[in-house]
Amino acid sequence: MSGLFQLGDFTLTSGAKSRYKIECDALTPDDWAGLATMLAERLPWFNAVYGVPRGGVPLMMAMVGYQRPGALRS
């Protein structure tokens, strides 16, 4: 399995080029839960979360428990 952070020449799904990528498939459910906790502490005002297909769905699932319906950014 490849490492989490990879350097090289990558073509993103959008067609854009990147010199690095984060291999999200290498993250465990506990990693996603930790990321969700950190994001929720920094962004407490979100009221919904949506995941983009492929890499975004695990983060979305981890963030669902932190959403606060009706929350507004101040």
Side-chain angles (χ1 to χ4, degrees):
M1 180 177 229
S2 300
L4 179 60
F5 298 101
Q6 299 175 19
L7 297 176
D9 293 315
F10 301 99
T11 302
L12 306 177
T13 304
S14 66
K17 302 291 184 181
S18 178
R19 295 184 314 128
Y20 63 90
K21 89 173 185 176
I22 299 171
E23 185 54 68
C24 292
D25 291 340
L27 296 171
T28 68
D30 286 341
D31 294 330
W32 287 114
L35 288 168
T37 298
M38 289 186 280
L39 287 169
E41 287 175 358
R42 295 191 52 109
L43 305 169
W45 57 82
F46 70 94
N47 59 17
V49 61
Y50 302 93
V52 294
R54 191 162 151 87
V57 174
L59 181 58
M60 175 194 69
M61 297 303 294
M63 294 292 299
V64 166
Y66 292 101
Q67 63 187 349
R68 293 196 273 189
L72 298 175
R73 182 177 181 178
S74 53

